[in-house]
Amino acid sequence: MKQSKTLIAGAACLALLAGCTTNPYTGEQEAGKAGVYGGIGAVTGAVIGAATSSKKDRTKGALIGAAVGGAAGGGYGYYVDTQEAKLRQTLVGTGVQVQRNGDNLKLIMPGNITFASNSSDISSGFYQTLNSLVLVFKEFDKNGVAIVGYTDSTGSQQLNQNLSNQRAQSVASYLVANGVPSSRISSYGAGPSNPIASNDTADGRALNRRVEINLTPLPGAQ
């Protein structure tokens, strides 16, 4: 019995180490949400694996249980960890911000790189960034892609609403035309609502003129 407890404890320690996952894009050890869940799953799997194995195979059973439990426990959290790292790597130097909130990711694309003033035609310099996003969205296909257009407060409410709608639709249409399934994509304009800076300055208005892409789990993905 003492030996069995020692074997289970050893496997559990290995399982906890397994919970600190290595991100394949950064090479760094991660002990975030996915790591914690993976560690818990691995410990549980180790205990069950050892308990349900014969005495001779108890160590092997514990290690197998740890591996299986860790992978299952990491789940969607690890998926988002990996996607976030790929996006940050892909978007370095583009001016696009990547924000993380739990299992949701947000890409903030300021107006100075997306559209000319009062236009819904995608700026020529923005196509390369969008092409990079297309590749990531195809690789990571468990997210819905919600595109939201925003404007500053200059001009009428109706003008801004229409412009923000058209800009969001322009991005959505480009993604679909390049192979991202339309079933994953939604788009709408929010006009001047939800400003992220003051509309009293030119710099603030430039920040408010933006497109955001929200990546959220598709039904059944978590």
Side-chain angles (χ1 to χ4, degrees):
M1 179 63 71
K2 182 177 180 181
Q3 184 180 12
S4 298
K5 291 180 178 179
T6 301
L7 292 173
I8 292 173
C13 289
L14 291 174
L16 284 172
L17 291 175
C20 296
T21 53
T22 300
N23 191 293
Y25 293 104
T26 64
E28 297 178 347
Q29 289 289 318
E30 296 181 340
K33 179 179 178 181
V36 172
Y37 288 168
I40 293 172
V43 170
T44 303
V47 173
I48 294 174
T52 57
S53 301
S54 65
K55 183 176 181 181
K56 183 175 68 173
D57 295 330
R58 199 154 283 166
T59 301
K60 182 179 179 181
L63 292 174
I64 292 173
V68 173
Y76 190 79
Y78 180 69
Y79 175 90
V80 179
D81 289 345
T82 309
Q83 184 181 30
E84 178 187 8
K86 181 64 176 288
L87 285 168
R88 291 189 184 279
Q89 179 189 63
T90 300
L91 296 172
V92 168
T94 64
V96 178
Q97 298 179 46
V98 181
Q99 294 183 355
R100 171 84 176 264
N101 182 17
D103 285 341
N104 299 324
L105 294 170
K106 177 183 289 186
L107 309 178
I108 303 175
M109 298 169 282
N112 65 316
I113 65 171
T114 52
F115 298 95
S117 180
N118 294 320
S119 173
S120 60
D121 295 331
I122 296 172
S123 295
S124 59
F126 191 50
Y127 284 116
Q128 183 175 351
T129 299
L130 286 179
N131 291 337
S132 298
L133 289 179
V134 165
L135 296 177
V136 177
F137 293 165
K138 287 181 178 179
E139 179 181 355
F140 295 88
D141 58 1
K142 296 181 181 180
N143 307 105
V145 182
I147 303 165
V148 188
Y150 292 96
T151 66
D152 59 32
S153 61
T154 304
S156 70
Q157 176 68 32
Q158 190 60 55
L159 182 149
N160 286 324
Q161 184 62 50
N162 291 340
L163 184 59
S164 63
N165 279 328
Q166 292 163 4
R167 287 178 169 178
Q169 184 57 53
S170 291
V171 174
S173 297
Y174 189 85
L175 296 180
V176 172
N178 285 275
V180 181
S182 60
S183 58
R184 293 176 56 196
I185 295 177
S186 63
S187 66
Y188 70 93
S193 64
N194 302 318
I196 58 175
S198 172
N199 279 305
D200 295 333
T201 66
D203 288 343
R205 289 191 294 273
L207 291 174
N208 291 332
R209 296 191 297 268
R210 68 196 189 280
V211 172
E212 294 183 356
I213 296 181
N214 298 293
L215 304 175
T216 57
L218 288 170
Q222 289 180 304

